């Protein structure tokens, strides 16, 4: 292949006109890794919830916590934003595993604050470092009026979580499988999937789903992020796309971060399928 037309070069050409910066980390599980600004720090927004989930399962694996514990939605957990718990009043009791699931699949901010309260901020950060994510930190619970930032991470750190999940090497094979089941129920993955052929993701047409995704996204004024695993008949690949330094802080489906991210994601999918499970020959 012409060295000017490698996947990395084509990605760089695609985002040349983008009003912002994208950090990308890709791994095809066959020794081919593509990293663009992958070691730079980005605001996490809700992608920090992936690390919180990992810490929960780590604590459960060690016998310190239980997925069956009951936790209370308290007044101090109240925060605006995504999720379903903002429609409820404080006082509701949830099982830990249900709060954790809401935290991921609908990015529930109140459920996230409940999980931070349950696990402890210091313990979460200790666990993040123990998992090898040296450039990632959670700074505080989610309270937009009190804090300007939530957490920071890098595309490489974030990808490492999903890469090890795919291999069953993050917490334990059993715990990793349970976590992947939660990530596969994610409601918000349009940056990864928006330009995918719907046919491949609809079992009504194909008898089975040929392409599926396990991921967690996040958005704040300062960032738009998405990352996880794409499962195909040729095996999975890891994809992370973190965005910053764009000028448009509004939230809408056609935000440039989503548009350019989706173009890059489709380019990666096409390459992976064309080479039957690899990014490079």
């Amino acid at each position: 292949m012409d060295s000017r037309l490698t996947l990395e070069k084509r990605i760089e050409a695609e985002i040349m006109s983008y009003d912002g910066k994208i950090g990308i980390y890709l791994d095809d599980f066959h020794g081919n890794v593509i990293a663009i600004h992958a070691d730079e720090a980005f605001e996490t927004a809700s992608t920090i919830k992936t690390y919180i989930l990992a810490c929960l399962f780590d604590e459960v694996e060690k016998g310190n916590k239980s997925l069956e514990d009951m936790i209370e939605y308290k007044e101090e957990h109240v925060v605006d934003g995504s999720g379903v718990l903002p429609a409820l009043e404080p006082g509701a009791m949830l099982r830990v595993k249900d709060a954790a699931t809401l935290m991921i699949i609908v990015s529930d901010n109140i459920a996230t604050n409940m999980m931070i309260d349950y696990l402890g901020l210091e313990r979460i950060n200790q666990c993040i470092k123990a998992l090898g994510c040296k450039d990632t930190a959670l700074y505080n619970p989610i309270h937009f009026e009190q804090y300007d930032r939530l957490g920071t991470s890098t595309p490489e750190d974030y990808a490492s979580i999903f890469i090890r999940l795919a291999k069953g090497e993050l917490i334990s094979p059993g715990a990793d499988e349970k976590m992947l089941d939660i990530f596969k129920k994610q409601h918000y993955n349009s940056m990864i999937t928006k330009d995918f052929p719907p046919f491949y993701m609809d079992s009504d047409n194909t008898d089975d789903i040929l392409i599926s995704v396990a991921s967690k996204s996040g958005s704040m004024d300062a960032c738009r992020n998405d990352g996880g695993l794409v499962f195909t008949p040729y095996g999975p690949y890891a994809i992370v796309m973190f965005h910053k330094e764009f000028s448009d802080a509004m939230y809408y489906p056609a935000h440039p971060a989503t548009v350019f991210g989706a173009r890059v994601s489709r380019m990666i999918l096409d390459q992976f399928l064309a080479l039957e499970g690899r990014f490079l020959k």
Side-chain angles (χ1 to χ4, degrees):
M1 171 180 283
D2 191 313
S3 62
R4 296 168 297 179
L5 295 174
T6 63
L7 179 58
E8 182 173 353
K9 293 295 185 183
R10 285 185 285 127
I11 290 172
E12 291 173 345
E14 185 65 48
I15 61 178
M16 184 67 68
S17 60
Y18 173 51
D19 174 27
K21 176 179 281 189
I22 305 180
I24 296 172
Y25 195 93
L26 310 170
D27 191 325
D28 66 4
F29 295 100
H30 286 93
N32 299 308
V33 170
I34 294 174
I36 301 173
H37 306 303
D39 59 353
E40 289 193 27
F42 289 73
E43 164 65 49
T44 61
S46 289
T47 58
I48 197 67
K49 298 169 185 177
T50 291
Y51 297 102
I52 297 172
L53 186 71
C55 292
L56 169 63
F57 274 85
D58 185 55
E59 286 289 277
V60 170
E61 188 78 11
K62 292 174 178 174
N64 298 330
K65 299 292 184 181
S66 171
L67 294 176
E68 299 301 325
D69 282 349
M70 300 298 295
I71 53 177
E72 182 181 357
Y73 165 23
K74 301 176 182 178
E75 188 69 38
E76 57 261 36
H77 300 143
V78 173
V79 62
D80 292 333
S82 56
V84 297
L85 291 182
L88 305 181
E89 295 181 357
M93 299 293 295
L94 280 78
R95 288 184 301 179
V96 165
K97 65 182 179 183
D98 295 329
T101 298
L102 289 175
M103 175 179 70
I104 298 298
I105 69 171
V106 292
S107 205
D108 197 294
N109 287 337
I110 290 174
T112 303
N113 282 343
M114 292 170 68
M115 294 307 307
I116 293 172
D117 192 19
Y118 177 68
L119 293 167
L121 184 66
E122 183 178 356
R123 183 70 195 102
I124 291 170
N125 280 310
Q126 289 172 348
C127 178
I128 289 172
K129 294 299 183 281
L131 291 174
C133 299
K134 59 183 177 63
D135 296 316
T136 299
L138 170 65
Y139 298 116
N140 39 254
I142 306 175
H143 289 296
F144 300 115
E145 296 80 11
Q146 298 180 41
Y147 308 111
D148 292 331
R149 61 180 186 173
L150 177 58
T152 52
S153 187
T154 65
E156 185 172 6
D157 268 6
Y158 200 58
S160 74
I161 296 294
F162 287 98
I163 290 167
R164 283 178 282 170
L165 275 178
K167 297 177 179 179
E169 298 174 353
L170 185 64
I171 307 299
S172 72
D176 293 357
E177 184 176 357
K178 290 177 182 177
M179 291 176 65
L180 280 175
D181 284 342
I182 295 174
F183 287 118
K184 287 177 180 177
K185 297 181 176 71
Q186 170 65 236
H187 289 199
Y188 309 119
N189 57 19
S190 58
M191 190 185 299
I192 294 176
T193 64
K194 187 176 78 69
D195 288 352
F196 281 9
F199 178 87
Y200 294 139
M201 307 181 74
D202 185 354
S203 60
D204 289 341
N205 289 317
T206 62
D207 295 328
D208 63 332
I209 296 173
L210 295 177
I211 296 173
S212 61
V213 175
S215 65
K216 179 71 191 85
S217 59
S219 296
M220 287 174 62
D221 288 349
C223 70
R224 300 286 189 277
N225 303 328
D226 210 344
L229 297 164
V230 177
F231 295 91
T232 80
Y234 297 120
Y237 63 88
I239 175 172
V240 170
M241 296 177 289
F242 281 9
H243 298 249
K244 63 181 178 179
E245 299 177 14
F246 47 77
S247 58
D248 186 352
M250 293 182 66
Y251 294 90
Y252 55 99
H255 188 280
T258 302
V259 171
F260 278 86
R263 289 178 185 171
V264 169
S265 181
R266 175 61 187 271
M267 185 184 301
I268 293 161
L269 174 69
D270 287 347
Q271 178 93 347
F272 190 81
L273 296 180
L275 298 182
E276 299 183 348
R278 296 174 182 271
F279 294 145
L280 303 170
K281 290 183 179 178

